[in-house]
Amino acid sequence: MRVFKDMPTKKNRVSCHVIAGALGVGKTSTIISCLEILGDVSSTLVIVNDFGQTGLDAEIFRDTSGELEVSNIKGGCLCCSSMQEMSDVIQAALQNSKIKRIIIEPSGLAVLPDLIPYLQKLSEKYPIDLRPVITLINPKRTQERHYQGVPFMTSLVDYADVLVGNRMDQASAEEQAHFREWTGRLQPSKMQVVETSFGRLTKEVFDLTRLDSNEVKTVDVPHHHHEASGGFADENIAPMSEDKFRERLEQWSREGVGDAEVLRFKALLPTDRGWRLFEIAEGDCQVRAMSDAKTSKLDWISRGEVLEDTIRAALMECCA
């Protein structure tokens, strides 16, 4: 392992960006969109953290670009159990002279008051330049009933240097007006407040420099992950009827699975129309085409336990 005796100037350090946000707010889509804008895919490492077991988000990134370096940290959270693993990945990346940019996508359950100070300490030890923290939020979720009194949500906003209202196209005129009024009275004020859809950001957001004055935050977040997670990979799943499985997904989104509320669901499956990525994100169901894969992968996060046997039974019922 290389020892960094003479720390480079900020100009020569590896840029390190954190793109945070709650489950299903669009972090992965945002990073994919940003990679197209930045145009330096081959010199970028994406560290993606899946709270689930299969590391499906890494598949999504690899499907977008074969040149992209992706490191998947799965089955834990960067703010606690996976901190050391993240540090090891960053140190290894710094040995590769090709890597000029690191983008970190924490799990939608990550607690920023633990993660960001840890990254600040790493930036004092290693030649990484921690850039402004980008937090995505759904403008439909900024009413007081959604975030007041919820330390996790409040900390996501407090620790944001750049606050991004994603999916503005899905917000009503009243919700958009409230978002603007609400962000206008946030203290301390943000370096930038961005309104966008489909995770589109400009290159200028990534060129911003994080200020030392941005380090003092206010929220003490109880650090407990009460959510349940599950998942599995299987090479032998028969092709689904895309329409039937989407209907099942919509049912789970409305009603849950058994007694469990589905917070996030992702499944890479073969269908009668090719490989598809099925998702439940913030109560919405989405399906997108994917390149051919060898292995089906499913991940979910829920309030209450979802049994693997229940998911497998649904897959059999939805076979094409």
Side-chain angles (χ1 to χ4, degrees), residues 112-143:
L112 295 189
D114 291 332
L115 175 60
I116 301 306
Y118 183 76
L119 286 170
Q120 288 172 335
K121 290 180 180 178
L122 288 184
S123 71
E124 295 168 2
K125 188 176 181 182
Y126 302 112
I128 58 173
D129 177 16
L130 183 60
R131 296 299 182 93
V133 178
I134 300 170
T135 295
L136 273 62
I137 190 166
N138 189 329
K140 299 168 73 70
R141 302 288 189 267
T142 58
Q143 299 289 342

PDB file of all heavy atoms in Angstrom, residues 112-143:
ATOM      1  N   LEU A 112     -25.991  10.620   7.556  1.00  0.00           N
ATOM      2  CA  LEU A 112     -24.926  11.527   7.137  1.00  0.00           C
ATOM      3  C   LEU A 112     -24.117  12.122   8.288  1.00  0.00           C
ATOM      4  O   LEU A 112     -22.914  12.372   8.116  1.00  0.00           O
ATOM      5  CB  LEU A 112     -25.501  12.646   6.267  1.00  0.00           C
ATOM      6  CG  LEU A 112     -26.094  12.213   4.924  1.00  0.00           C
ATOM      7  CD1 LEU A 112     -26.434  13.427   4.078  1.00  0.00           C
ATOM      8  CD2 LEU A 112     -25.154  11.295   4.161  1.00  0.00           C
ATOM      9  N   PRO A 113     -24.687  12.380   9.468  1.00  0.00           N
ATOM     10  CA  PRO A 113     -23.859  12.919  10.556  1.00  0.00           C
ATOM     11  C   PRO A 113     -22.727  11.999  10.984  1.00  0.00           C
ATOM     12  O   PRO A 113     -21.811  12.434  11.686  1.00  0.00           O
ATOM     13  CB  PRO A 113     -24.869  13.113  11.702  1.00  0.00           C
ATOM     14  CG  PRO A 113     -26.164  13.340  11.017  1.00  0.00           C
ATOM     15  CD  PRO A 113     -26.125  12.435   9.818  1.00  0.00           C
ATOM     16  N   ASP A 114     -22.771  10.739  10.600  1.00  0.00           N
ATOM     17  CA  ASP A 114     -21.649   9.836  10.849  1.00  0.00           C
ATOM     18  C   ASP A 114     -20.752   9.713   9.614  1.00  0.00           C
ATOM     19  O   ASP A 114     -19.526   9.675   9.723  1.00  0.00           O
ATOM     20  CB  ASP A 114     -22.149   8.443  11.247  1.00  0.00           C
ATOM     21  CG  ASP A 114     -22.800   8.436  12.621  1.00  0.00           C
ATOM     22  OD1 ASP A 114     -22.430   9.283  13.451  1.00  0.00           O
ATOM     23  OD2 ASP A 114     -23.685   7.608  12.848  1.00  0.00           O
ATOM     24  N   LEU A 115     -21.358   9.655   8.437  1.00  0.00           N
ATOM     25  CA  LEU A 115     -20.606   9.412   7.209  1.00  0.00           C
ATOM     26  C   LEU A 115     -19.732  10.595   6.807  1.00  0.00           C
ATOM     27  O   LEU A 115     -18.549  10.421   6.479  1.00  0.00           O
ATOM     28  CB  LEU A 115     -21.578   9.073   6.070  1.00  0.00           C
ATOM     29  CG  LEU A 115     -20.963   8.914   4.677  1.00  0.00           C
ATOM     30  CD1 LEU A 115     -19.936   7.797   4.655  1.00  0.00           C
ATOM     31  CD2 LEU A 115     -22.047   8.679   3.632  1.00  0.00           C
ATOM     32  N   ILE A 116     -20.286  11.809   6.808  1.00  0.00           N
ATOM     33  CA  ILE A 116     -19.547  12.964   6.288  1.00  0.00           C
ATOM     34  C   ILE A 116     -18.329  13.305   7.156  1.00  0.00           C
ATOM     35  O   ILE A 116     -17.222  13.516   6.618  1.00  0.00           O
ATOM     36  CB  ILE A 116     -20.470  14.188   6.116  1.00  0.00           C
ATOM     37  CG1 ILE A 116     -21.622  13.842   5.155  1.00  0.00           C
ATOM     38  CG2 ILE A 116     -19.680  15.385   5.588  1.00  0.00           C
ATOM     39  CD1 ILE A 116     -21.186  13.298   3.805  1.00  0.00           C
ATOM     40  N   PRO A 117     -18.427  13.344   8.495  1.00  0.00           N
ATOM     41  CA  PRO A 117     -17.215  13.575   9.291  1.00  0.00           C
ATOM     42  C   PRO A 117     -16.145  12.508   9.062  1.00  0.00           C
ATOM     43  O   PRO A 117     -14.950  12.813   9.091  1.00  0.00           O
ATOM     44  CB  PRO A 117     -17.736  13.545  10.739  1.00  0.00           C
ATOM     45  CG  PRO A 117     -19.163  13.959  10.625  1.00  0.00           C
ATOM     46  CD  PRO A 117     -19.644  13.363   9.339  1.00  0.00           C
ATOM     47  N   TYR A 118     -16.566  11.271   8.826  1.00  0.00           N
ATOM     48  CA  TYR A 118     -15.602  10.202   8.550  1.00  0.00           C
ATOM     49  C   TYR A 118     -14.854  10.483   7.248  1.00  0.00           C
ATOM     50  O   TYR A 118     -13.627  10.338   7.172  1.00  0.00           O
ATOM     51  CB  TYR A 118     -16.330   8.865   8.470  1.00  0.00           C
ATOM     52  CG  TYR A 118     -15.423   7.676   8.267  1.00  0.00           C
ATOM     53  CD1 TYR A 118     -14.662   7.174   9.320  1.00  0.00           C
ATOM     54  CD2 TYR A 118     -15.316   7.060   7.029  1.00  0.00           C
ATOM     55  CE1 TYR A 118     -13.820   6.087   9.145  1.00  0.00           C
ATOM     56  CE2 TYR A 118     -14.470   5.964   6.841  1.00  0.00           C
ATOM     57  CZ  TYR A 118     -13.732   5.480   7.899  1.00  0.00           C
ATOM     58  OH  TYR A 118     -12.902   4.407   7.715  1.00  0.00           O
ATOM     59  N   LEU A 119     -15.579  10.927   6.221  1.00  0.00           N
ATOM     60  CA  LEU A 119     -14.938  11.264   4.950  1.00  0.00           C
ATOM     61  C   LEU A 119     -14.031  12.482   5.097  1.00  0.00           C
ATOM     62  O   LEU A 119     -12.975  12.569   4.452  1.00  0.00           O
ATOM     63  CB  LEU A 119     -16.002  11.512   3.881  1.00  0.00           C
ATOM     64  CG  LEU A 119     -16.710  10.268   3.344  1.00  0.00           C
ATOM     65  CD1 LEU A 119     -17.895  10.658   2.474  1.00  0.00           C
ATOM     66  CD2 LEU A 119     -15.742   9.389   2.553  1.00  0.00           C
ATOM     67  N   GLN A 120     -14.421  13.431   5.949  1.00  0.00           N
ATOM     68  CA  GLN A 120     -13.567  14.589   6.188  1.00  0.00           C
ATOM     69  C   GLN A 120     -12.225  14.154   6.794  1.00  0.00           C
ATOM     70  O   GLN A 120     -11.166  14.669   6.421  1.00  0.00           O
ATOM     71  CB  GLN A 120     -14.274  15.576   7.119  1.00  0.00           C
ATOM     72  CG  GLN A 120     -15.432  16.311   6.448  1.00  0.00           C
ATOM     73  CD  GLN A 120     -16.241  17.134   7.431  1.00  0.00           C
ATOM     74  OE1 GLN A 120     -16.256  16.836   8.625  1.00  0.00           O
ATOM     75  NE2 GLN A 120     -16.935  18.139   6.941  1.00  0.00           N
ATOM     76  N   LYS A 121     -12.271  13.208   7.718  1.00  0.00           N
ATOM     77  CA  LYS A 121     -11.038  12.707   8.315  1.00  0.00           C
ATOM     78  C   LYS A 121     -10.175  11.988   7.278  1.00  0.00           C
ATOM     79  O   LYS A 121      -8.953  12.117   7.268  1.00  0.00           O
ATOM     80  CB  LYS A 121     -11.364  11.781   9.478  1.00  0.00           C
ATOM     81  CG  LYS A 121     -11.938  12.502  10.686  1.00  0.00           C
ATOM     82  CD  LYS A 121     -12.253  11.535  11.809  1.00  0.00           C
ATOM     83  CE  LYS A 121     -12.829  12.270  13.011  1.00  0.00           C
ATOM     84  NZ  LYS A 121     -13.193  11.338  14.119  1.00  0.00           N
ATOM     85  N   LEU A 122     -10.830  11.217   6.383  1.00  0.00           N
ATOM     86  CA  LEU A 122     -10.072  10.549   5.322  1.00  0.00           C
ATOM     87  C   LEU A 122      -9.403  11.570   4.408  1.00  0.00           C
ATOM     88  O   LEU A 122      -8.287  11.352   3.932  1.00  0.00           O
ATOM     89  CB  LEU A 122     -10.996   9.646   4.502  1.00  0.00           C
ATOM     90  CG  LEU A 122     -11.500   8.357   5.163  1.00  0.00           C
ATOM     91  CD1 LEU A 122     -12.327   7.547   4.165  1.00  0.00           C
ATOM     92  CD2 LEU A 122     -10.349   7.514   5.692  1.00  0.00           C
ATOM     93  N   SER A 123     -10.080  12.689   4.156  1.00  0.00           N
ATOM     94  CA  SER A 123      -9.517  13.707   3.259  1.00  0.00           C
ATOM     95  C   SER A 123      -8.309  14.398   3.879  1.00  0.00           C
ATOM     96  O   SER A 123      -7.498  15.003   3.175  1.00  0.00           O
ATOM     97  CB  SER A 123     -10.584  14.742   2.888  1.00  0.00           C
ATOM     98  OG  SER A 123     -10.902  15.563   3.994  1.00  0.00           O
ATOM     99  N   GLU A 124      -8.171  14.336   5.212  1.00  0.00           N
ATOM    100  CA  GLU A 124      -6.996  14.885   5.879  1.00  0.00           C
ATOM    101  C   GLU A 124      -5.828  13.911   5.830  1.00  0.00           C
ATOM    102  O   GLU A 124      -4.671  14.300   5.961  1.00  0.00           O
ATOM    103  CB  GLU A 124      -7.347  15.205   7.338  1.00  0.00           C
ATOM    104  CG  GLU A 124      -8.395  16.308   7.472  1.00  0.00           C
ATOM    105  CD  GLU A 124      -8.954  16.408   8.891  1.00  0.00           C
ATOM    106  OE1 GLU A 124      -8.482  15.641   9.764  1.00  0.00           O
ATOM    107  OE2 GLU A 124      -9.861  17.230   9.104  1.00  0.00           O
ATOM    108  N   LYS A 125      -6.158  12.636   5.611  1.00  0.00           N
ATOM    109  CA  LYS A 125      -5.143  11.582   5.637  1.00  0.00           C
ATOM    110  C   LYS A 125      -4.689  11.176   4.245  1.00  0.00           C
ATOM    111  O   LYS A 125      -3.531  10.795   4.044  1.00  0.00           O
ATOM    112  CB  LYS A 125      -5.720  10.380   6.381  1.00  0.00           C
ATOM    113  CG  LYS A 125      -4.744   9.259   6.663  1.00  0.00           C
ATOM    114  CD  LYS A 125      -5.433   8.178   7.487  1.00  0.00           C
ATOM    115  CE  LYS A 125      -4.480   7.043   7.813  1.00  0.00           C
ATOM    116  NZ  LYS A 125      -5.157   5.953   8.590  1.00  0.00           N
ATOM    117  N   TYR A 126      -5.594  11.251   3.286  1.00  0.00           N
ATOM    118  CA  TYR A 126      -5.323  10.794   1.928  1.00  0.00           C
ATOM    119  C   TYR A 126      -5.621  11.913   0.932  1.00  0.00           C
ATOM    120  O   TYR A 126      -6.380  12.841   1.233  1.00  0.00           O
ATOM    121  CB  TYR A 126      -6.171   9.566   1.599  1.00  0.00           C
ATOM    122  CG  TYR A 126      -5.964   8.410   2.539  1.00  0.00           C
ATOM    123  CD1 TYR A 126      -6.972   8.010   3.407  1.00  0.00           C
ATOM    124  CD2 TYR A 126      -4.747   7.732   2.575  1.00  0.00           C
ATOM    125  CE1 TYR A 126      -6.773   6.955   4.297  1.00  0.00           C
ATOM    126  CE2 TYR A 126      -4.536   6.687   3.457  1.00  0.00           C
ATOM    127  CZ  TYR A 126      -5.557   6.305   4.314  1.00  0.00           C
ATOM    128  OH  TYR A 126      -5.352   5.273   5.184  1.00  0.00           O
ATOM    129  N   PRO A 127      -5.043  11.833  -0.271  1.00  0.00           N
ATOM    130  CA  PRO A 127      -5.223  12.905  -1.262  1.00  0.00           C
ATOM    131  C   PRO A 127      -6.570  12.870  -1.972  1.00  0.00           C
ATOM    132  O   PRO A 127      -6.662  12.640  -3.173  1.00  0.00           O
ATOM    133  CB  PRO A 127      -4.059  12.663  -2.231  1.00  0.00           C
ATOM    134  CG  PRO A 127      -3.815  11.202  -2.167  1.00  0.00           C
ATOM    135  CD  PRO A 127      -4.071  10.812  -0.741  1.00  0.00           C
ATOM    136  N   ILE A 128      -7.633  13.055  -1.192  1.00  0.00           N
ATOM    137  CA  ILE A 128      -8.958  13.202  -1.788  1.00  0.00           C
ATOM    138  C   ILE A 128      -9.501  14.586  -1.444  1.00  0.00           C
ATOM    139  O   ILE A 128      -9.242  15.111  -0.355  1.00  0.00           O
ATOM    140  CB  ILE A 128      -9.946  12.105  -1.330  1.00  0.00           C
ATOM    141  CG1 ILE A 128     -10.110  12.098   0.190  1.00  0.00           C
ATOM    142  CG2 ILE A 128      -9.513  10.746  -1.834  1.00  0.00           C
ATOM    143  CD1 ILE A 128     -11.186  11.150   0.681  1.00  0.00           C
ATOM    144  N   ASP A 129     -10.211  15.160  -2.364  1.00  0.00           N
ATOM    145  CA  ASP A 129     -10.804  16.492  -2.204  1.00  0.00           C
ATOM    146  C   ASP A 129     -12.307  16.303  -2.054  1.00  0.00           C
ATOM    147  O   ASP A 129     -13.018  16.080  -3.043  1.00  0.00           O
ATOM    148  CB  ASP A 129     -10.467  17.353  -3.420  1.00  0.00           C
ATOM    149  CG  ASP A 129     -11.117  18.735  -3.360  1.00  0.00           C
ATOM    150  OD1 ASP A 129     -11.570  19.125  -2.270  1.00  0.00           O
ATOM    151  OD2 ASP A 129     -11.165  19.404  -4.408  1.00  0.00           O
ATOM    152  N   LEU A 130     -12.802  16.341  -0.810  1.00  0.00           N
ATOM    153  CA  LEU A 130     -14.229  16.157  -0.560  1.00  0.00           C
ATOM    154  C   LEU A 130     -14.988  17.372  -1.058  1.00  0.00           C
ATOM    155  O   LEU A 130     -14.821  18.479  -0.546  1.00  0.00           O
ATOM    156  CB  LEU A 130     -14.485  15.935   0.934  1.00  0.00           C
ATOM    157  CG  LEU A 130     -15.940  15.663   1.333  1.00  0.00           C
ATOM    158  CD1 LEU A 130     -16.467  14.407   0.646  1.00  0.00           C
ATOM    159  CD2 LEU A 130     -16.066  15.528   2.854  1.00  0.00           C
ATOM    160  N   ARG A 131     -15.807  17.165  -2.065  1.00  0.00           N
ATOM    161  CA  ARG A 131     -16.568  18.247  -2.670  1.00  0.00           C
ATOM    162  C   ARG A 131     -17.914  18.430  -1.954  1.00  0.00           C
ATOM    163  O   ARG A 131     -18.293  17.618  -1.106  1.00  0.00           O
ATOM    164  CB  ARG A 131     -16.790  17.944  -4.154  1.00  0.00           C
ATOM    165  CG  ARG A 131     -15.507  17.887  -4.984  1.00  0.00           C
ATOM    166  CD  ARG A 131     -14.761  19.229  -4.955  1.00  0.00           C
ATOM    167  NE  ARG A 131     -13.559  19.204  -5.790  1.00  0.00           N
ATOM    168  CZ  ARG A 131     -13.539  19.588  -7.065  1.00  0.00           C
ATOM    169  NH1 ARG A 131     -14.634  20.001  -7.669  1.00  0.00           N
ATOM    170  NH2 ARG A 131     -12.394  19.550  -7.738  1.00  0.00           N
ATOM    171  N   PRO A 132     -18.655  19.483  -2.289  1.00  0.00           N
ATOM    172  CA  PRO A 132     -19.939  19.716  -1.625  1.00  0.00           C
ATOM    173  C   PRO A 132     -20.858  18.501  -1.687  1.00  0.00           C
ATOM    174  O   PRO A 132     -20.979  17.844  -2.721  1.00  0.00           O
ATOM    175  CB  PRO A 132     -20.517  20.900  -2.411  1.00  0.00           C
ATOM    176  CG  PRO A 132     -19.310  21.644  -2.891  1.00  0.00           C
ATOM    177  CD  PRO A 132     -18.305  20.577  -3.218  1.00  0.00           C
ATOM    178  N   VAL A 133     -21.500  18.218  -0.557  1.00  0.00           N
ATOM    179  CA  VAL A 133     -22.423  17.085  -0.464  1.00  0.00           C
ATOM    180  C   VAL A 133     -23.702  17.419  -1.221  1.00  0.00           C
ATOM    181  O   VAL A 133     -24.324  18.457  -0.997  1.00  0.00           O
ATOM    182  CB  VAL A 133     -22.754  16.772   1.009  1.00  0.00           C
ATOM    183  CG1 VAL A 133     -23.766  15.623   1.101  1.00  0.00           C
ATOM    184  CG2 VAL A 133     -21.480  16.433   1.769  1.00  0.00           C
ATOM    185  N   ILE A 134     -24.075  16.528  -2.131  1.00  0.00           N
ATOM    186  CA  ILE A 134     -25.291  16.703  -2.933  1.00  0.00           C
ATOM    187  C   ILE A 134     -26.368  15.794  -2.365  1.00  0.00           C
ATOM    188  O   ILE A 134     -26.189  14.576  -2.288  1.00  0.00           O
ATOM    189  CB  ILE A 134     -25.023  16.362  -4.405  1.00  0.00           C
ATOM    190  CG1 ILE A 134     -23.928  17.258  -4.982  1.00  0.00           C
ATOM    191  CG2 ILE A 134     -26.302  16.477  -5.238  1.00  0.00           C
ATOM    192  CD1 ILE A 134     -23.433  16.839  -6.367  1.00  0.00           C
ATOM    193  N   THR A 135     -27.479  16.368  -1.947  1.00  0.00           N
ATOM    194  CA  THR A 135     -28.595  15.586  -1.417  1.00  0.00           C
ATOM    195  C   THR A 135     -29.820  15.780  -2.300  1.00  0.00           C
ATOM    196  O   THR A 135     -30.213  16.910  -2.590  1.00  0.00           O
ATOM    197  CB  THR A 135     -28.939  15.995   0.023  1.00  0.00           C
ATOM    198  OG1 THR A 135     -27.850  15.669   0.879  1.00  0.00           O
ATOM    199  CG2 THR A 135     -30.174  15.257   0.513  1.00  0.00           C
ATOM    200  N   LEU A 136     -30.389  14.654  -2.718  1.00  0.00           N
ATOM    201  CA  LEU A 136     -31.612  14.680  -3.500  1.00  0.00           C
ATOM    202  C   LEU A 136     -32.819  14.570  -2.575  1.00  0.00           C
ATOM    203  O   LEU A 136     -32.802  13.811  -1.602  1.00  0.00           O
ATOM    204  CB  LEU A 136     -31.645  13.521  -4.497  1.00  0.00           C
ATOM    205  CG  LEU A 136     -30.981  13.733  -5.859  1.00  0.00           C
ATOM    206  CD1 LEU A 136     -29.493  14.004  -5.696  1.00  0.00           C
ATOM    207  CD2 LEU A 136     -31.192  12.527  -6.759  1.00  0.00           C
ATOM    208  N   ILE A 137     -33.850  15.317  -2.893  1.00  0.00           N
ATOM    209  CA  ILE A 137     -35.093  15.245  -2.138  1.00  0.00           C
ATOM    210  C   ILE A 137     -36.259  15.373  -3.107  1.00  0.00           C
ATOM    211  O   ILE A 137     -36.158  16.068  -4.135  1.00  0.00           O
ATOM    212  CB  ILE A 137     -35.144  16.342  -1.044  1.00  0.00           C
ATOM    213  CG1 ILE A 137     -36.323  16.099  -0.095  1.00  0.00           C
ATOM    214  CG2 ILE A 137     -35.177  17.735  -1.642  1.00  0.00           C
ATOM    215  CD1 ILE A 137     -36.255  16.914   1.176  1.00  0.00           C
ATOM    216  N   ASN A 138     -37.316  14.670  -2.823  1.00  0.00           N
ATOM    217  CA  ASN A 138     -38.519  14.760  -3.644  1.00  0.00           C
ATOM    218  C   ASN A 138     -39.306  15.990  -3.211  1.00  0.00           C
ATOM    219  O   ASN A 138     -39.661  16.109  -2.035  1.00  0.00           O
ATOM    220  CB  ASN A 138     -39.372  13.497  -3.452  1.00  0.00           C
ATOM    221  CG  ASN A 138     -40.537  13.415  -4.423  1.00  0.00           C
ATOM    222  OD1 ASN A 138     -41.088  14.425  -4.840  1.00  0.00           O
ATOM    223  ND2 ASN A 138     -40.919  12.203  -4.785  1.00  0.00           N
ATOM    224  N   PRO A 139     -39.590  16.944  -4.115  1.00  0.00           N
ATOM    225  CA  PRO A 139     -40.305  18.164  -3.717  1.00  0.00           C
ATOM    226  C   PRO A 139     -41.696  17.882  -3.152  1.00  0.00           C
ATOM    227  O   PRO A 139     -42.242  18.709  -2.420  1.00  0.00           O
ATOM    228  CB  PRO A 139     -40.395  18.968  -5.029  1.00  0.00           C
ATOM    229  CG  PRO A 139     -40.210  17.963  -6.109  1.00  0.00           C
ATOM    230  CD  PRO A 139     -39.287  16.923  -5.563  1.00  0.00           C
ATOM    231  N   LYS A 140     -42.239  16.704  -3.434  1.00  0.00           N
ATOM    232  CA  LYS A 140     -43.531  16.332  -2.874  1.00  0.00           C
ATOM    233  C   LYS A 140     -43.416  15.935  -1.402  1.00  0.00           C
ATOM    234  O   LYS A 140     -44.417  15.747  -0.728  1.00  0.00           O
ATOM    235  CB  LYS A 140     -44.132  15.165  -3.667  1.00  0.00           C
ATOM    236  CG  LYS A 140     -44.380  15.470  -5.134  1.00  0.00           C
ATOM    237  CD  LYS A 140     -44.704  14.224  -5.937  1.00  0.00           C
ATOM    238  CE  LYS A 140     -46.101  13.702  -5.652  1.00  0.00           C
ATOM    239  NZ  LYS A 140     -47.153  14.588  -6.191  1.00  0.00           N
ATOM    240  N   ARG A 141     -42.157  15.777  -0.917  1.00  0.00           N
ATOM    241  CA  ARG A 141     -41.936  15.311   0.449  1.00  0.00           C
ATOM    242  C   ARG A 141     -41.394  16.411   1.360  1.00  0.00           C
ATOM    243  O   ARG A 141     -40.806  16.128   2.395  1.00  0.00           O
ATOM    244  CB  ARG A 141     -40.935  14.147   0.441  1.00  0.00           C
ATOM    245  CG  ARG A 141     -41.359  12.958  -0.406  1.00  0.00           C
ATOM    246  CD  ARG A 141     -42.498  12.178   0.244  1.00  0.00           C
ATOM    247  NE  ARG A 141     -42.761  10.928  -0.454  1.00  0.00           N
ATOM    248  CZ  ARG A 141     -43.661  10.788  -1.429  1.00  0.00           C
ATOM    249  NH1 ARG A 141     -44.371  11.852  -1.825  1.00  0.00           N
ATOM    250  NH2 ARG A 141     -43.860   9.627  -2.008  1.00  0.00           N
ATOM    251  N   THR A 142     -41.562  17.671   0.988  1.00  0.00           N
ATOM    252  CA  THR A 142     -40.999  18.748   1.812  1.00  0.00           C
ATOM    253  C   THR A 142     -42.047  19.411   2.693  1.00  0.00           C
ATOM    254  O   THR A 142     -41.722  20.365   3.407  1.00  0.00           O
ATOM    255  CB  THR A 142     -40.330  19.819   0.918  1.00  0.00           C
ATOM    256  OG1 THR A 142     -41.285  20.343   0.001  1.00  0.00           O
ATOM    257  CG2 THR A 142     -39.153  19.222   0.172  1.00  0.00           C
ATOM    258  N   GLN A 143     -43.281  18.944   2.652  1.00  0.00           N
ATOM    259  CA  GLN A 143     -44.266  19.436   3.605  1.00  0.00           C
ATOM    260  C   GLN A 143     -43.828  19.032   5.010  1.00  0.00           C
ATOM    261  O   GLN A 143     -43.199  17.997   5.214  1.00  0.00           O
ATOM    262  CB  GLN A 143     -45.639  18.843   3.293  1.00  0.00           C
ATOM    263  CG  GLN A 143     -46.194  19.201   1.915  1.00  0.00           C
ATOM    264  CD  GLN A 143     -46.616  20.649   1.799  1.00  0.00           C
ATOM    265  OE1 GLN A 143     -46.819  21.322   2.802  1.00  0.00           O
ATOM    266  NE2 GLN A 143     -46.761  21.143   0.571  1.00  0.00           N
TER     267      GLN A 143
END
